[in-house]
């Protein structure tokens, strides 16, 4: 989403679970050399409930044809999900690549 008429954008990265288990997800965003993260390129870790989606946000500056690569992976971090739920660490991976023109 472009902010005003500038080269500033808010990038929303949505991670969706299609499994009936709690997952701890680490989300990262990588940009081409001409993409700037003025407030930092954060790594987010969050609890994803069964069959739910979670949004992660970054503010970037860059050209209209910048390249962004989002990555979400299931990790075994502790103390992310509520203590009364059991988390799962699946052994399978799903990789989806999609070019996003900004």
């Amino acid at each position: 989403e472009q902010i005003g008429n500038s080269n500033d954008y808010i990038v929303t990265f949505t991670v969706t679970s299609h499994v009936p288990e709690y997952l701890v997800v680490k989300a990262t965003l990588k940009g081409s050399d001409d993409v700037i993260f003025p407030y930092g390129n954060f790594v987010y870790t969050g609890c994803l409930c069964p069959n739910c989606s979670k949004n992660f946000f970054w503010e970037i500056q860059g050209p209209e044809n910048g390249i962004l690569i989002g990555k979400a992976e299931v990790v075994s971090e502790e103390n992310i999900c509520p203590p009364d739920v059991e988390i799962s660490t699946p052994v399978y991976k799903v990789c989806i690549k999609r070019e996003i023109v900004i």
Side-chain angles (χ1 to χ4, degrees):
E1 175 183 329
Q2 188 172 15
I3 302 172
N5 292 326
S6 66
N7 287 340
D8 295 338
Y9 299 88
I10 295 177
V11 177
T12 304
F13 180 27
T14 303
V15 178
T16 303
S17 170
H18 298 285
V19 296
E21 300 163 334
Y22 281 85
L23 304 172
V24 178
V25 177
K26 181 169 79 170
T28 57
L29 187 67
K30 181 180 175 184
S32 55
D33 291 339
D34 51 359
V35 174
I36 298 168
F37 295 85
Y39 303 105
N41 186 359
F42 301 105
V43 174
Y44 294 102
T45 305
C47 186
L48 192 57
C49 63
N51 300 302
C52 290
S53 295
K54 189 170 201 71
N55 292 327
F56 301 94
F57 301 92
W58 289 264
E59 289 188 38
I60 66 164
Q61 295 172 343
E64 291 183 16
N65 60 353
I67 296 174
L68 302 172
I69 299 171
K71 179 180 176 183
E73 58 186 312
V74 175
V75 295
S76 59
E77 299 280 332
E78 293 184 11
N79 302 319
I80 303 295
C81 289
D84 59 335
V85 300
E86 184 176 334
I87 62 169
S88 175
T89 53
V91 294
Y92 58 87
K93 287 187 176 183
V94 176
C95 182
I96 299 173
K97 289 187 177 182
R98 181 172 25 136
E99 182 177 333
I100 301 173
V101 179
I102 56 175

